[in-house]
Every structure is written in C-alpha cells, then in structure tokens.
Amino acid sequence: QSSETKNSAESPIVAAGLPTDEFGDYNGSDLISWVNSSPQGVVHPSVRIGREIPGDKSTLLGLFVSSDPDTEPIEKGEIIAQVPWDLMIHPGNKYHHETFFSCRALKNIVEELKLGDQSKLAPYVRYLLTQNLDGIPGYWSEPAQEFFSFVLDDALPPFEEKWRHDYAMKWIKNCGGDPNIDPLERKAYFLAMSRDEDTLMVPIYDMANHSNDADKLNTLSYKPTSPGDFFQFVAARKILPGEQIYNSYNRCNYCSDADFELCETFSWNRTPDLFLEFGFVEDFPQTWRFEYEIDSSDDDDDGDDYPQISVIAFCLDKNKESGQLEVYWEGDDDELGDGDDVEFLMEHLVRISDLRKKKLEFEDKFVWRNGDGKYDTALPEELDYFGETLQLNGKMTTSEWDAIWQYCNALILALGAAILSLADEVSLDESDYNLVLEMSNFTSDTDNSNHEEL
C-alpha cells in the first residue's frame, strides 16, 4: 500500500459491510449511488473507486477513470463530482469560503460519527469510520511521537508545536472538547485534518490522491461561495480511461507554477506540512524550508536581544528525462545558501544518517511486533545512541515506525541535495562532497549543480 493515499483502511471496510470489488477493496458504489440520487448530485459515469491495479495491494486506492470497455474519457471542463450542500459535513450557516478552521464544523463531524447508521449522511459516515489514521504524527502513540521528536531534534520540520500538542490546543482548549480524550472526538479531529477541504468534508472528492506532477495533476475544485451551494470537482484536461484522477493538496505551494486565481484551497503547505497533516511524503516536486538561529542579534532601544533566523528554502524536483535531482532556490541570488547554511544542513544530515545506521537496533527495541495493533505494555526500553540514552515509554506499531522512516529518508535526500547544490558556491571540499553522496544514496547521475532561482 502506497502511503500517498488517504484511503488506507482495508479489513475495516469488509467488517463494516461496505461494498467491495472481487478482491475485497472498497468500490464506493454506495457513495456514488447516494450522491447521484440527490438533487444536484453528480458523479461522472466513468468514475471508478478502487485500486490503481485492482487486486494489487501495493497500488493506490483512489479515484480513477474506469478502463472497462466502452468507457468514455472525462473531457476537459466536465464535472467529475458535484456534491450538494446537504451531503457534506460543514459548519452550517457560519460557513465562509475563506475560513480554514471551524470548531462548529468539527463538532458536526463528531455528531455525525456518533450517529453512525442513524446519520442522514450514513453512507459517507460508514466509510469515514473505517479510515486508518496511523500515518498522521498527531495521531500516533506516545512512544512513536517521542521517537519522532528525538529524530527532529527540535531543529527540523515539522516543528513539534504544529503536531504534538495540536489536538489539545485546538480541539480541547479552543473548541471545548472532552479533556479525557474521547476516541471518537479524536478520530473526528484527525479525519478533518487529513480529509477536509478547509471546513468542508466532501464525499467522493476526498478520495482523490495528491500530486503536483504537471503530467498527473488533472483537476480543479470549486468550493461553495456561500452556505447552501454545491461543491464541484472538475477535469482540468482530458482524463483517459485507466488514468488516476489527482487533486493537489497544496496547489498554491511556493514551487507551484499554477494559476493562482484557480487556487481554491489557498494552501501554501510544504512537504513536511503534508506529512504531518496527511501522513505521506509527497512525490516530486517537493517544497522544503529549514530555519535556525544565528549567533548575531540586534538590540532594541530597551536592550532586549532578538534572535536572528536564517532561512533555507528550496524546491526539489526530478528531471523526467535524465532522472537527476534538481534544486531550485527561493528568492534572489543573494538569498542562495551560504557556508553557515551548509554547516547546519550537514550537521543534521550526518545525525539522521547515523540514526539510520542503527535502524535495525532501534526497531528491535521500540517496535511492537505482534501485529494486532495493540501497544506494548512492557517496561520502557533504553538504547544508547552515541553517548545519549534514548528511552521510550513502551513500543510503537509497525505502521508508525514505517511512516517515521519514510519521512527520515525524504529528509536525508532533501538535506543532501541542498548541500550538493551549494557545493560550488561554498567550495565544498571533495571529502565532504563524497560523504554527502554516500549518506544520501545519490547515484553519479544526480544533478548537483542546479542553482536556479524560482
């Protein structure tokens, strides 16, 4: 199962009695019929819900144009899905198309999940209740969160305040959620984080997987302008039978060449933000930003010191013809990384690469192996890491462990690519250059000289 999907639950689908294809994967026929039966509801007849290759568990679950004989392509401008207001979970008359967080919307999700089969949105609610959220850092067990914090070292994104305490601050404190951590409230919160379109939960639409690859991205979305309006999901080009229907979860990111007038989501999220919200590392192109305090500081009139922050921001892409990685630095020529930036990047590249060398030892100590999804209640394990003792209060699941290392591998690649792109700028010596190549697992055909600015 690829991590680049929101639709990762399988056995719960069967247990919930939802419709499946011959291979046991959800086929969405109940949702499609439900939407089509509603006034103003439309799902294009060529849409298929399922795996990219039916029966192949390693391929994506998502939205596709069916490859059945006589299936018509979805033409540019045609509606893929039109979802009426009454079929969405929304904040009611408090909805505004430029509001991106709503306690009322969250409370309505909780209410619908608690109603279950009694909900007027039962086909959608049944599907939501089957969803697996184990890829999302904020939803992880305490041992997994503790290890991830150890990896990030309070220096790398996503920063802890954005994910580790987000539920407590936003839902419990700001929205008045249950301080005893109600499981259904917690599920509702992270369903909203990973599936909503700002303050709207939109069936069918929320099954489309993410890509910013210009050859893959093939849709546009249009939110309601006011309460009561419908949501539209439209083909941006002709989508052929067998093709996957992609959405962008951060269409307005800093590396995008999208028409910003079409940026309905107003999303500027970078690659680390997508990981913390959705639980996957996006394919190329990726957008990265690192920052660190520098030694110098300015004094104000009162003599207070203010730390200065150095920002390292770039886009990472892969040339489709050569396969080479290319780094595009944000900003002007004078904002290109310098020697201090390389020192910061190198410090963390070496640190995480050293962690990776001990991965099997960590895994043996910290990962729950019974495979039944229960967390280990054994005594905490300790492991010495270069003179520092790492102790976790229990063990994490395999899915949590795999998600952490998926992100770590992406970090290593991004850190290494950024350093090598600055090799000429900072006169990186040959031994360091070769060390970065080795740690990042780059091949000799990697493009290490692309300093283009956006």
Side-chain angles (χ1 to χ4, degrees), residues 124-136:
Y124 187 38
V125 169
R126 282 194 293 265
Y127 171 76
L128 290 176
L129 286 169
T130 67
Q131 294 306 288
N132 186 336
L133 301 169
D134 286 350
I136 300 173

Side-chain angles (χ1 to χ4, degrees), residues 117-225:
D117 286 341
Q118 304 306 310
S119 168
K120 62 183 178 65
L121 308 176
Y124 187 38
V125 169
R126 282 194 293 265
Y127 171 76
L128 290 176
L129 286 169
T130 67
Q131 294 306 288
N132 186 336
L133 301 169
D134 286 350
I136 300 173
Y139 200 74
W140 288 344
S141 64
E142 183 61 29
Q145 292 188 350
E146 187 63 31
F147 185 81
F148 193 48
S149 291
F150 176 78
V151 170
L152 299 178
D153 196 35
D154 199 28
L156 299 175
F159 296 107
E160 192 166 308
E161 65 269 15
K162 294 184 70 175
W163 59 270
R164 194 164 186 185
H165 309 296
D166 194 63
Y167 176 79
M169 289 298 296
K170 284 189 175 179
W171 173 246
I172 296 176
K173 183 177 180 180
N174 295 343
C175 297
D178 186 349
N180 295 318
I181 316 295
D182 179 280
L184 207 56
E185 289 186 5
R186 188 166 180 261
K187 188 176 185 77
Y189 178 85
F190 286 101
L191 279 170
M193 174 185 285
S194 60
R195 305 190 72 88
D196 74 356
E197 182 64 17
D198 300 327
T199 60
L200 303 173
M201 295 286 284
V202 187
I204 305 293
Y205 167 78
D206 68 355
M207 295 182 179
N209 288 306
H210 164 79
S211 182
N212 281 320
D213 185 326
D215 292 337
K216 293 181 179 179
L217 182 56
N218 49 21
T219 64
L220 293 169
S221 58
Y222 299 96
K223 296 188 299 185
T225 56

Side-chain angles (χ1 to χ4, degrees), residues 134 141 143 366-378 394-400:
D134 286 350
S141 64
F366 298 143
V367 179
W368 176 243
R369 284 298 179 193
N370 284 3
D372 62 358
K374 295 179 180 178
Y375 300 124
D376 193 354
T377 56
K395 295 186 178 183
M396 69 189 82
T397 65
T398 301
S399 60
E400 292 170 337

Side-chain angles (χ1 to χ4, degrees), residues 80 178 242 259 272 434 436 443:
I80 298 167
D178 186 349
D259 182 347
N434 290 331
V436 174
T443 59

Side-chain angles (χ1 to χ4, degrees), residues 143-326:
Q145 292 188 350
E146 187 63 31
F147 185 81
F148 193 48
S149 291
F150 176 78
V151 170
L152 299 178
D153 196 35
D154 199 28
L156 299 175
F159 296 107
E160 192 166 308
E161 65 269 15
K162 294 184 70 175
W163 59 270
R164 194 164 186 185
H165 309 296
D166 194 63
Y167 176 79
M169 289 298 296
K170 284 189 175 179
W171 173 246
I172 296 176
K173 183 177 180 180
N174 295 343
C175 297
D178 186 349
N180 295 318
I181 316 295
D182 179 280
L184 207 56
E185 289 186 5
R186 188 166 180 261
K187 188 176 185 77
Y189 178 85
F190 286 101
L191 279 170
M193 174 185 285
S194 60
R195 305 190 72 88
D196 74 356
E197 182 64 17
D198 300 327
T199 60
L200 303 173
M201 295 286 284
V202 187
I204 305 293
Y205 167 78
D206 68 355
M207 295 182 179
N209 288 306
H210 164 79
S211 182
N212 281 320
D213 185 326
D215 292 337
K216 293 181 179 179
L217 182 56
N218 49 21
T219 64
L220 293 169
S221 58
Y222 299 96
K223 296 188 299 185
T225 56
S226 59
D229 292 344
F230 50 72
F231 186 103
Q232 279 194 336
F233 192 36
V234 176
R237 62 165 173 81
K238 186 175 184 176
I239 311 176
L240 298 174
E243 277 196 85
Q244 184 165 178
I245 298 169
Y246 284 102
N247 185 21
S248 172
Y249 301 172
N250 61 340
R251 191 182 299 271
C252 299
N253 72 82
Y254 290 86
C255 299
S256 173
D257 59 359
D259 182 347
F260 287 91
E261 291 184 359
L262 301 176
C263 291
E264 282 284 303
T265 65
F266 302 96
S267 174
W268 296 88
N269 283 345
R270 297 177 184 267
T271 299
D273 302 313
L274 291 186
F275 180 72
L276 75 88
E277 290 189 7
F278 302 105
F280 66 80
V281 175
E282 65 177 332
D283 198 359
F284 301 109
Q286 297 176 351
T287 315
W288 292 88
R289 175 188 169 103
F290 302 95
E291 56 186 58
Y292 63 95
E293 289 187 18
I294 55 181
D295 292 337
S296 61
S297 61
D298 293 328
D299 293 337
D300 66 7
D301 294 338
D302 298 325
D304 294 329
D305 291 336
Y306 291 90
Q308 292 187 3
I309 303 297
S310 181
V311 173
I312 307 168
F314 59 91
C315 304
L316 182 62
D317 204 354
K318 180 178 284 188
N319 187 294
K320 292 183 179 179
E321 294 184 2
S322 67
Q324 295 177 340
L325 289 179
E326 299 174 341

